[in-house]
Amino acid sequence: MMPPRLIVLAPSTWGKRFNSTQATSTKPLLSIVNGDVFQFGSVKPVHKKPLNWTMEDDPKEAWAILGDGKQVLFELLRGHMRVAPSPLGGLYPRLTQLNPDIDPFTSIAYASFATRRQVAGGGFYDYTARYGGVREEDKITLRQSLEEYLEAEGPHETKEYLLQLTKRLDIERFLDLPIIALSNGQTRRAHIVKSLLRRPEVLLLDEPLTGLDVQQRPNLLGILQELHINRHPRIIMGLRKHDNIPEWVTHVALASGDVVQTGPKDAVLSTVESSVFMGTPQSEAEEQPAATPKPAGQVVLETKNLTVAYHERKVLKGIDWTIREGERWHLRGANGSGKTTLLSMLTGDHPQSYLQPHLELFGKPRRKQSTIQIQQKIGFVSPELFNAFPRRVGPQGLTVRDAIGTGLHAIFTYRPRSEEEDKRIDELVGALGPEGRWGAEGKKNAEWEKELFATLPVGEQSLVLLMRALVSKAKLVILDEAFAGMNERMVEVARKYLRDELDDTQAAVFITHWEQEVPWPMRDVKKITLVDGFAAQS
């Protein structure tokens, strides 16, 4: 059954700042003509050539931003970059015309799906609280959070509109769950609802499909198309290499390093390989010759009849799973299918892991090992860990090197390292750092590793936390949406490392909704799929 269509409220109720129906004009939404783009405080343009970029305020024209340099373009659209010469009529002539007394940037909403909970001082917070949280802030439901946000946005907003949005984005049934209990995909959809409740004139969505299962992607794209056609709000999306570009997107800005091309979609994409931005699987791993079958390694992890229940609701139902040395696994499942709960059992984070009759890790029952003993044998990265990782600035802040080093002991603070441990970090930075790979021209690894983790762009933070998961050469490596936020060059470097450098004693579990992200040839990968709490293997 198709979801109910979104009722677009009357334009007079849409904007607090703008009356989108009263100004008649052919002025473009965005206009940059032969403009050099600079970071504030810099005299060096970020692009090789002046930028020419015009967006017409036309419902038949829709834009997507592509390429490894898309983050710079989003920063530009948010007003975080300087353009010289300054565009006549401002960066957004249409919005300025609609209300010349209001700063147009106040009507721009941005959702990157890489935000983290605010913690005083930027410290670590316990993301495992979702499995048994007792703090008051852990009890706040999605409904309470959205209604508080709705109230803050003003009396013109209605609960009817909120319910329309949650129904269309298929999160209405989760409204009474604590926010901390939502899956990653559900949390991302809730983030979009919050952005729409602001009633922006322009909504910038960077990687809106990341973390969404295949069933939810067409639904979200259909909603965004409706909103864009009605100009409430205008939608500008950032897409990754393997995302299918929706048919209704007519124009693209392709940012490849320091070169930007803008214009009609077909004209711009004709300048690159046809497979690069059309959702075609990456094939470099598949083209390698078939590997000789290897003898089965020792058992790293074994579960029998693993079950997790909250009162009457069963989340996981009788799962049997054995992982051996050298095996590569792809864990799949729809949003809310129990993937994160299953991973929390493997890492020992979930309190119910102690109650399992048969959950053995590294040759011992889980109940006979402390959580830290287990986690020091696992290399782990996930969206929850990404959000929770400490981001202090100042003298107490972790550098890139120190952040990687925390993975040696499964901790979240600085600890002095041995010479051997520092050599291992050198190996990783040498293999995955920016120098000669994904960094700007002249970017040196030695400089990068001294930067504060908290000040890095989102994609670089994701790469650092991947390196943190790899630094100890753990027997079991669990990588949950490990490439989120990375640009294409970072992903290529990371995939190659995972394909070539994990040894035969290491087992790996890769969690993604995109099969083409899996680093290894699919013929060598075992699959486990969660559906309604049950697991099927292939």
Side-chain angles (χ1 to χ4, degrees):
M1 184 175 69
M2 291 293 291
R5 291 184 64 79
L6 183 66
I7 301 172
V8 180
L9 301 186
S12 60
T13 67
W14 179 258
K16 300 188 288 286
R17 307 174 179 89
F18 293 85
N19 188 341
S20 298
T21 61
Q22 291 183 358
T24 302
S25 175
T26 57
K27 284 195 173 183
L29 175 65
L30 175 83
S31 179
I32 301 173
V33 179
N34 288 326
D36 285 314
V37 179
F38 301 86
Q39 293 181 334
F40 286 111
S42 173
V43 296
K44 182 180 179 182
V46 297
H47 301 126
K48 282 185 177 180
K49 296 180 180 179
L51 179 62
N52 286 281
W53 193 5
T54 299
M55 292 184 188
E56 298 299 335
D57 192 25
D58 183 343
K60 296 180 181 178
E61 182 173 307
W63 283 80
I65 303 176
L66 316 172
D68 55 32
K70 67 181 172 64
Q71 192 59 43
V72 171
L73 296 186
F74 273 113
E75 291 297 293
L76 168 65
L77 294 178
R78 298 173 66 196
H80 297 172
M81 293 279 181
R82 177 172 63 89
V83 181
S86 182
L88 293 175
L91 194 63
Y92 295 99
R94 176 62 171 159
L95 301 187
T96 300
Q97 183 184 37
L98 289 173
N99 195 327
D101 298 326
I102 297 295
D103 181 353
F105 290 106
T106 62
S107 68
I108 308 291
Y110 173 68
S112 72
F113 309 101
T115 56
R116 70 185 298 263
R117 289 175 53 172
Q118 295 300 311
V119 177
F124 171 80
Y125 75 83
D126 183 11
Y127 60 90
T128 66
R130 67 188 292 177
Y131 309 118
V134 296
R135 298 176 303 173
E136 287 304 311
E137 58 265 38
D138 296 331
K139 299 177 183 179
I140 297 173
T141 66
L142 176 59
R143 185 189 303 275
Q144 289 172 319
S145 173
L146 292 175
E147 287 184 353
E148 287 175 7
Y149 194 84
L150 189 74
E151 184 177 348
E153 287 302 297
H156 62 283
E157 301 298 358
T158 66
K159 289 186 180 180
E160 178 190 7
Y161 180 62
L162 170 59
L163 292 176
Q164 290 168 17
L165 290 175
T166 56
K167 184 176 293 186
R168 278 301 306 273
L169 285 162
D170 196 26
I171 57 173
E172 183 184 34
R173 54 202 166 108
F174 308 120
L175 283 172
D176 295 315
L177 286 180
I179 293 175
I180 201 168
L182 299 179
S183 74
N184 297 316
Q186 293 156 5
T187 301
R188 291 173 193 273
R189 281 176 272 156
H191 193 175
I192 292 174
V193 169
K194 275 193 172 182
S195 297
L196 290 171
L197 288 176
R198 282 189 53 194
R199 305 280 193 168
E201 290 289 332
V202 177
L203 177 57
L204 309 175
L205 292 173
D206 191 10
E207 300 184 12
L209 303 181
T210 298
L212 290 188
D213 59 53
V214 67
Q215 293 84 8
Q216 291 296 335
R217 293 171 209 160
N219 181 47
L220 174 60
L221 290 172
I223 294 170
L224 297 179
Q225 181 183 14
E226 268 183 59
L227 293 167
H228 183 75
I229 288 173
N230 286 282
R231 325 305 287 147
H232 299 313
R234 302 148 180 88
I235 303 294
I236 302 173
M237 289 187 295
L239 299 175
R240 294 201 291 173
K241 184 174 183 177
H242 52 247
D243 293 336
N244 284 299
I245 302 175
E247 290 185 6
W248 55 273
V249 169
T250 59
H251 291 67
V252 298
L254 172 58
S256 301
D258 55 5
V259 176
V260 179
Q261 302 176 68
T262 65
K265 176 174 63 177
D266 293 341
V268 173
L269 294 184
S270 68
T271 65
V272 297
E273 294 181 30
S274 60
S275 64
V276 171
F277 291 104
M278 301 306 290
T280 313
Q282 300 179 29
S283 60
E284 65 268 26
E286 297 295 344
E287 292 173 356
Q288 294 184 356
T292 303
K294 298 173 183 176
Q298 294 183 356
V299 173
V300 173
L301 177 145
E302 185 175 64
T303 73
K304 292 182 180 178
N305 197 32
L306 187 147
T307 300
V308 176
Y310 302 106
H311 301 292
E312 300 301 319
R313 184 170 68 95
K314 286 190 176 182
V315 179
L316 299 176
K317 305 169 185 177
I319 292 177
D320 298 338
W321 191 10
T322 300
I323 301 175
R324 295 178 177 274
E325 291 179 342
E327 289 183 341
R328 307 291 181 254
W329 285 86
H330 179 197
L331 171 59
R332 306 181 295 183
N335 296 142
S337 62
K339 299 187 300 297
T340 301
T341 301
L342 177 56
L343 295 181
S344 72
M345 301 296 286
L346 308 189
T347 60
D349 280 326
H350 202 296
Q352 293 189 36
S353 64
Y354 287 100
L355 307 178
Q356 301 303 314
H358 192 106
L359 171 56
E360 292 194 353
L361 299 132
F362 313 107
K364 295 182 181 179
R366 189 278 176 256
R367 60 181 176 273
K368 293 186 177 181
Q369 302 179 73
S370 69
T371 301
I372 189 63
Q373 285 177 322
I374 293 171
Q375 293 181 352
Q376 286 178 343
K377 298 174 185 176
I378 297 175
F380 180 62
V381 67
S382 72
E384 292 82 10
L385 187 144
F386 176 92
N387 287 338
F389 199 80
R391 287 169 172 82
R392 291 190 177 94
V393 294
Q396 292 186 325
L398 292 172
T399 65
V400 166
R401 189 175 187 85
D402 292 339
I404 297 170
T406 63
L408 292 162
H409 306 285
I411 56 177
F412 296 91
T413 58
Y414 171 78
R415 178 181 291 184
R417 298 180 293 270
S418 68
E419 183 178 344
E420 183 178 352
E421 289 172 337
D422 270 324
K423 285 183 179 178
R424 173 57 183 155
I425 296 175
D426 288 339
E427 291 175 6
L428 275 176
V429 173
L432 295 171
E435 189 171 342
R437 293 179 179 83
W438 50 264
E441 186 176 349
K443 185 81 168 181
K444 300 294 184 182
N445 288 341
E447 299 170 354
W448 181 70
E449 68 177 19
K450 295 176 183 176
E451 294 183 25
L452 285 177
F453 174 84
T455 63
L456 295 179
V458 167
E460 293 182 32
Q461 290 186 2
S462 289
L463 185 58
V464 170
L465 293 182
L466 172 62
M467 295 162 74
R468 177 186 184 272
L470 298 172
V471 68
S472 66
K473 294 188 176 181
K475 291 291 185 183
L476 176 60
V477 179
I478 300 175
L479 306 176
D480 185 3
E481 292 188 28
F483 300 154
M486 294 188 198
N487 66 39
E488 282 79 15
R489 286 187 289 177
M490 291 178 185
V491 172
E492 288 170 5
V493 170
R495 292 181 79 244
K496 185 177 188 305
Y497 185 91
L498 292 170
R499 191 166 59 249
D500 297 342
E501 299 300 331
L502 293 190
D503 64 39
D504 293 341
T505 67
Q506 293 180 280
V509 179
F510 200 85
I511 302 89
T512 179
H513 293 290
W514 304 89
E515 186 171 288
Q516 54 265 50
E517 279 193 339
V518 177
W520 310 285
M522 294 309 297
R523 61 176 173 269
D524 300 331
V525 175
K526 297 186 175 185
K527 302 180 183 69
I528 180 167
T529 305
L530 295 184
V531 180
D532 295 329
F534 295 99
Q537 298 184 25
S538 58

